[in-house]
DNA sequence: CATGAATGAGCTTTCATTCAT
DNA sequence: GATGAATGAAAGCTCATTCAT
């Protein structure tokens, strides 16, 4: 009874208002910010609303993030760039056919970014980069560069192993990227207000894209004349 | 009554400034607004700047468009013009390899849309559709649908003639579309604030994309294992 | 009745709401700003209050002055630095004893600065310069420098004509300046809350200062031993 | 009962941190606050910074001072210490030329007030007196009055002994005071952000002032016309 | 019709003060 | 006592919109 009051040993059901919240705050704010940035874009998101959604006051947000821009950067780091190490590790460890890696990469992107709110960040940057140069530079460095590097390394592996045709790497990267970015943008623009009949089913979309990317449109028999 | 409109007799070569300008006003405003909306997005475009660029005062703008939103809608509506009939005619008349048609279609899109202000409308719609559902529906109907139909008809032709592999048409359309849309978006976002070393050269970009789309990444020899 | 509506010819009693006010605005804002800056200092003066006192809204103030700093600079220009050309001209034209010029300079300073709200600016700068380096630099350039130059030229004239002893000019300037600055500060600090018995009567204060500055404390007879 | 206060036996050389600090707290806070108020003025000093400099938390500061205003008042009161008795004694004991006393008084003021933190209090009072009338009254009584009395007694001695001309004592005091106050203010305002070329060297400044105060600007030969 | 002066709600950010721990 | 997380009232500045002229 005497010294049982150690702050770390408490009845687990107790709310522990101050302390426990403090650890949870940044995450709650990040989650709220992600939602709102995705919903309204960077410029139209008001920090006060982010705070309210996270259940705190305006001032509290600035206790954890020194400005709206820093908040945004933290959102990007938490939802996108933070995942590269894991992805890179996974693909470096992978053995087997490079086409399989590519399929896997695209479906992993879907499950961990495309299918989450994080895809909204992609759309947002494509929409607003021109007006927030500092953010654009940050995104280029933290997200675009590493993303390109990852895709480039996969393509190079395929070419080195004789599995892929030799193509221009700089632009080849976009063959993989374009469908993903398109999907992210579509989902957060036309996709949210488009009639059911025109909805894109992401899994089917991606399956078709990866299949065509790998095998091409042209019938192998007639490939010699492949539209050159 | 016929010519009673002219308040005074003027030399016919005289520009008739006031009157002609009055008729031209909405068009001048729309042109100025297109430029700025494309450059800065909806939220960051200031109506005062639109007015200034059109050579009128802020108040005058509101004489023609009751609000910034209405101005935006008018801009989009005014710039979605169907080039489709012309294109459709061209492709229906075409004889020869379908892969060639596809190459031609993509390079025509670049020269008549991508490389002009019109690509700004594409960017605008992808960026702002979520905030303007009625516009999105309009765009879907006037642009997306006919565009899909055109691409679909090309792909179908290739498949019917045994030149293309049989693929899912609904999603196959995006194989052609995604790189174009991506390029349009990129040009108006990261492209305007990205270091020279990362710039995309549209022609090279498109050449690589069409090549891969047609022939695939996988080396024909090893295609049997094509990542299935 | 037909064309009598020329905007410049109106009944002089008519309020002429918009136009006439537009000309008067900057002056009204400057007057309000002077009052408040003097009363509360730069940092504690709220632009909204300046606007309110001038009878306009916050936004209107920014129509005329692009920032609070620019407003302050305009106040300084209108109330102090704008007066140098006139003073300089006056003293350059002056003929006669330099001591007379000095007396006149000090009493002119009193009537056109010290005895007006403008003296508050002097106090304000001495109080806040350290925290607003940009303002301080501006003040140094627009007010301090020309002020020193003016005093220096008077002292130099006296020395050149053999009327004044030869003294260090750089620090000699402060002999004239210090009493004036002291008076301005005192008036806006202790002076506003000090018992009647200790009040300074500016004219008497200045008379004593100028007399001592010119003739010194030491009795001429004993000057040889002047406290060395 | 005597030593029951110590919660445990400690080595006598141990600093007894908690307790000693507790007693020292107010003093440490006042010292930190003095530094910052002098440097930044009342409005721009943040209590959090005061607390940090004193090594405590923001909350603790409010345990000792109920508001920022109370802290400010305490700072001023704590730093208005009478050096007057000592000075008075010194000057009463002094024998010899009064001009020498005056020189000595001014250089002593510089070394024991002007050149120390104490000059900050002078600056603070001149800057903030208007906003703290009770403080101003206190300062008037504790500092201004005795200071005037001291200077007055020196001047009177000079006049009584026929060394000084007969001048108005009330305002004559300011002849001595104004340069000192000016110097203190300058040091803490323009002096900290003014280009090297305009810096004031206090010793040279004071030498010039005392010299002019004693001997006047006017050339003795021409003094008869002394600007009357 | 056209103007542009005027408005005021709204934005990000700061900071004295409070209070649960 | 001491802490520092939390608050929320300002503050400077912007800009879509109105309306007297």
């Amino acid at each position: 009874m005497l010294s049982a009051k150690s702050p770390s040993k408490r009845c687990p059901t107790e709310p522990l208002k101050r302390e426990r919240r403090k650890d949870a705050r940044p995450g709650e704010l990040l989650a709220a910010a992600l939602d709102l940035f995705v919903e309204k874009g960077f410029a139209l998101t008001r920090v006060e609303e982010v705070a309210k959604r996270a259940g705190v006051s305006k001032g509290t947000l600035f206790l954890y993030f020194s400005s709206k821009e820093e908040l945004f950067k933290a959102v990007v780091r938490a939802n996108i760039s933070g995942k590269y190490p894991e992805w890179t590790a996974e693909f470096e460890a992978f053995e087997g056919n490079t086409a399989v890696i590519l399929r896997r990469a695209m479906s992993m992107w879907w499950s961990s970014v495309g299918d989450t709110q994080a895809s909204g960040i992609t759309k947002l940057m494509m929409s607003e980069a021109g007006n927030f140069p500092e953010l654009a530079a940050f995104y280029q460095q933290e997200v675009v560069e590493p993303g390109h590097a990852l895709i480039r390394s996969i393509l190079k592996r395929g070419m080195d192993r004789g599995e892929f045709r030799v193509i221009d790497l700089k632009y080849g990267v976009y063959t993989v990227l374009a469908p993903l970015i398109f999907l992210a943008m579509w989902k957060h623009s036309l996709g949210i207000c488009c009639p059911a009949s025109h909805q894109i089913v992401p899994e089917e979309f991606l399956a078709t894209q990866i299949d065509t990317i790998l095998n091409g449109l042209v019938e192998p028999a007639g490939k010699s004349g492949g539209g050159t």
Side-chain angles (χ1 to χ4, degrees), chain A residues 78-133:
Chain A
N79 290 282
I80 307 189
S81 49
K83 293 187 170 138
Y84 282 123
E86 175 191 346
W87 290 345
T88 305
E90 162 132 14
F91 294 127
E92 280 177 353
F94 203 91
E95 300 184 10
N97 198 301
T98 308
V100 174
I101 297 189
L102 212 50
R103 284 182 192 279
R104 189 157 164 68
M106 289 177 77
S107 76
M108 276 183 65
W109 174 87
W110 173 247
S111 60
S112 65
V113 175
D115 196 21
T116 69
Q117 279 286 53
S119 59
I121 297 294
T122 304
K123 186 262 180 175
L124 190 163
M125 283 307 309
M126 296 301 286
S127 297
E128 307 202 35
N131 298 113
F132 301 92

Side-chain angles (χ1 to χ4, degrees), chain A residues 121-160:
Chain A
I121 297 294
T122 304
K123 186 262 180 175
L124 190 163
M125 283 307 309
M126 296 301 286
S127 297
E128 307 202 35
N131 298 113
F132 301 92
E134 199 183 338
L135 253 32
F138 165 81
Y139 189 77
Q140 179 82 29
Q141 194 176 37
E142 297 269 316
V143 178
V144 176
E145 297 275 13
H148 280 212
L150 186 52
I151 297 175
R152 217 182 294 121
S153 75
I154 297 177
L155 294 180
K156 187 159 182 302
R157 182 185 191 271
M159 283 159 51
D160 287 348

Side-chain angles (χ1 to χ4, degrees), chain A residues 4-79:
Chain A
K5 205 61 196 228
S6 147
S8 51
K9 287 178 195 170
R10 293 194 187 237
C11 169
T13 59
E14 195 185 340
L16 247 180
K17 259 186 200 165
R18 257 335 204 283
E19 286 177 39
R20 212 183 54 185
R21 303 226 51 151
K22 197 220 156 174
D23 291 348
R25 280 297 182 239
E28 291 165 4
L29 283 162
L30 250 17
L34 175 61
D35 283 1
L36 286 165
F37 281 140
V38 168
E39 185 185 331
K40 299 170 177 297
F42 180 78
L44 267 67
T45 293
R46 286 175 293 136
V47 295
E48 182 158 28
E49 204 177 341
V50 173
K52 197 194 302 168
R53 188 176 291 209
V56 300
S57 76
K58 213 177 356 177
T60 301
L61 187 151
F62 284 94
L63 238 40
Y64 293 93
F65 303 96
S66 63
S67 72
K68 193 185 177 185
E69 285 211 356
E70 287 304 320
L71 174 63
F72 181 79
K73 288 183 186 176
V75 166
V76 171
R77 269 190 272 260
N79 290 282

